Amino acid sequence: MSAPLRIAFVGAGLGGLAAAIAAHRAGFAVAVYDQAHAFGDIGAGIQVGPNAVKALRALGLEAGLRQFGAMPERHVGRSWRSGRVLFRSETRSACLERFGAPFFQVQRSDLHAHLRSALPAGILRPGMRCTGVETRDDTAVLRFADGSTAQADVVVGSDGIHSAVRESLLGRDDPRFTGVICWRGQVAADRLPPGLIPPDSLNWMGPGGCVVHYYVRPGSLVNWIAHRKTDAWAEESWSVEGDKQELLDAFEGWHPSLQTLFHATERCYKWALFDREPLPTWVGERIALLGDAAHPMLPFLAQGGAMAMEDGIVLVDMLKHHGGNVGSALRRYEQLRKERATRVQLGSRARAEVCQVSSPWTRFRRDLRYLYDQCFKPGAAIQRADWIYEYDVAKVAA
C-alpha cells in the first residue's frame, strides 16, 4: 500500500484552511504552516455570498454559519451626502430562491475559528514563516525563517498577496498601490441610536470614495469599511491603528448617520489596497497557488475569501482524481479555476471605479442607470452577480 500524498499548505487563511480540511478528509498527509504565532479576534467583517456558502456546504460546515453569521435583508446603495437610495435588492429571500444558498455576513475570526475546529490537532503549525520553496526531483522542500526545512509532495501557496511561494515559483514582483486607502472599525450596536443601522448591507457611494457597513454577530456588532482615493501611500496591514480625526476629515460632509457611526467607533484601523495583474500561471510541477497568492482580490465584490475556498476545494479534488500524477492534477486545477478567478479579480477592480467615481457627470450617469433599474428592473443589482453566486464548487469539482 503506497504512502499518502504529503501536502504542505503555506498560509492558514480561509482558502488554506478549507483546502486542508478537504485534503485531510481525502486521506492525504496534511500540514498547514503559518507565520502567526496565534490566531485572535482581528475585528474585521467578511461577506460570505451564496457561492462561498456552497463551498462551506461541500465541507459540511454550512450549519455553523447560522450560529454566528448575520443574514442581511437587502443590499442597498445610497448617495454619500443625501442618503438617497440609488438601488435596493432583496437579499435574504432572493439568494435562497435564486442560488440555493443564503448570504451571510460574519466576523472573520469567527469563520476562521470555525474552519480551524474542523482540523485535528497537529495539522496547524503556527509560528512558521516560510521564506521559500524549491523542488528536487520527486519532492518539494520548504525553508522557514528559523532555519528549519520540511518536505512534501505538493506545496500549496495560500499565503496571500506577498506570497513567498509565489515568489519562489515566478520570481519577485512587487504589488502595486491602487491609490485607495481604507479604514475599518466596529461598533457595538448598543452604542448607536436605535434604528440607525438597518439589517441591510449598505454601500454609501460618493466622490472618490465609498463606505460599506453591515451587522456581524447578528444584531450586536456593526462592521464598517471606508475607502478613499488618495495620492499618499500607506502601509498595507490589517493591524495599523488609524487616526480617527484623519478618518473624519477624509469623510467630512458625508451623511450624518456615517458621522455618528464613525464617532461611536472607539478604535479604527487603516491600510492601503494593493493589487497585481493576473499571473501567467499558478502552478509548477509540485507547487500551486490559491487565493490572493494567485489572484489578489480588491474588496469591491466581496469575493476574496470565497475564491480562495473555491480554489482549495477544486485543487484537492484534482489531486484525488489524478492519482499520483501531481503535475496533471495541478494543471487541471488551473484550467478549471483560472478563468473564473481572473474574471472576478478584474471585476472587483472595475467595481472599485463604479463605487468611487470622482466626476460629477459620470456619477450622474451611474445614478441615472440605477434609477432606471429600480423602476424597470427590480433586483437588477443582485442579478448582475448571478455568474458569481450561482457557482457550486462541489458540482464543478465532480
Side-chain angles (χ1 to χ4, degrees):
M1 185 175 180
S2 60
L5 194 73
R6 298 169 300 167
I7 307 178
F9 294 93
V10 178
L14 301 181
L17 290 178
I21 293 165
H24 171 69
R25 292 178 179 174
F28 297 135
V30 178
V32 183
Y33 301 96
D34 196 274
Q35 64 182 349
H37 290 274
F39 303 102
D41 188 342
I42 62 171
I46 182 172
Q47 301 193 58
V48 184
N51 57 309
V53 173
K54 284 181 272 192
L56 291 165
R57 180 182 296 168
L59 299 173
L61 297 175
E62 177 187 359
L65 288 172
R66 300 180 185 278
Q67 298 174 16
F68 55 80
M71 288 192 288
E73 293 283 352
R74 292 165 291 272
H75 274 65
V76 180
R78 289 185 178 273
S79 180
W80 66 291
R81 189 194 296 271
S82 68
R84 176 172 53 87
V85 172
L86 303 175
F87 64 81
R88 181 187 285 113
S89 285
E90 295 298 322
T91 301
R92 183 176 295 188
S93 58
C95 284
L96 285 168
E97 294 168 4
R98 194 173 187 90
F99 310 118
F103 193 113
F104 285 98
Q105 294 162 160
V106 305
Q107 185 80 327
R108 186 184 179 90
S109 57
D110 290 344
L111 179 55
H112 197 266
H114 184 49
L115 290 170
R116 294 200 313 272
S117 71
L119 285 172
I123 285 181
L124 185 57
R125 303 177 189 185
M128 300 290 288
R129 182 170 69 85
C130 180
T131 58
V133 182
E134 59 182 297
T135 55
R136 300 175 184 170
D137 299 324
D138 60 350
T139 192
V141 180
L142 301 92
R143 301 186 305 275
F144 298 97
D146 64 1
S148 64
T149 62
Q151 294 188 1
D153 299 307
V154 182
V155 173
V156 180
S158 48
D159 48 343
I161 191 171
H162 297 293
S163 169
V165 180
R166 185 209 60 79
E167 186 170 328
S168 295
L169 180 65
L170 299 173
R172 186 173 179 83
D173 178 23
D174 292 331
R176 66 177 183 86
F177 174 48
T178 61
V180 176
I181 297 292
C182 299
W183 289 266
R184 66 176 175 87
Q186 295 188 325
V187 184
D190 60 11
R191 288 176 53 86
L192 297 168
L196 181 77
I197 306 297
D200 300 325
S201 179
L202 263 72
N203 186 353
W204 300 78
M205 293 186 282
C210 64
V211 180
V212 175
H213 59 70
Y214 50 82
Y215 282 98
V216 295
R217 293 177 179 164
S220 64
L221 190 63
V222 177
N223 183 81
W224 61 261
I225 312 98
H227 307 84
R228 201 80 171 116
K229 286 184 176 180
T230 178
D231 293 329
W233 181 88
E235 181 178 359
E236 185 208 13
S237 172
W238 281 90
S239 57
V240 174
E241 190 160 352
D243 180 347
K244 189 160 76 171
Q245 188 57 53
E246 183 184 12
L247 163 72
L248 294 170
D249 291 343
F251 290 90
E252 184 179 2
W254 287 56
H255 196 271
S257 66
L258 294 176
Q259 303 300 324
T260 300
L261 181 64
F262 294 154
H263 278 286
T265 303
E266 295 182 281
R267 180 175 293 176
C268 65
Y269 296 87
K270 176 184 176 183
W271 80 104
L273 292 186
F274 285 79
D275 198 8
R276 291 186 187 276
E277 293 302 318
L279 298 177
T281 184
W282 300 355
V283 302
E285 281 305 307
R286 293 191 175 273
I287 299 174
L289 306 176
L290 66 75
D292 277 0
H295 45 73
M297 297 279 170
L298 296 178
F300 298 96
L301 288 178
Q303 282 291 310
M307 290 298 108
M309 290 189 288
E310 289 180 4
D311 287 348
I313 291 169
V314 172
L315 171 59
V316 171
D317 209 63
M318 293 306 100
L319 289 168
K320 284 194 302 185
H321 289 298
H322 284 78
N325 194 331
V326 170
S328 294
L330 300 187
R331 288 189 292 273
R332 183 58 178 152
Y333 153 70
E334 182 179 81
Q335 290 171 356
L336 287 172
R337 290 296 302 161
K338 196 167 188 288
E339 181 179 357
R340 171 172 168 80
T342 300
R343 184 181 176 190
V344 176
Q345 181 185 11
L346 298 179
S348 298
R349 187 183 297 175
R351 179 66 181 168
E353 295 305 313
V354 173
C355 293
Q356 302 177 129
V357 170
S358 297
S359 161
W361 171 241
T362 305
R363 288 204 312 275
F364 173 76
R365 288 190 301 167
R366 179 200 65 192
D367 295 352
L368 194 62
R369 187 195 69 187
Y370 284 141
L371 178 61
Y372 175 85
D373 285 347
Q374 283 297 110
C375 293
F376 301 104
K377 298 179 180 179
I382 199 167
Q383 290 166 18
R384 292 194 186 97
D386 279 6
W387 65 277
I388 298 176
Y389 294 154
E390 66 191 6
Y391 186 93
D392 189 336
V393 68
K395 294 179 181 177
V396 172

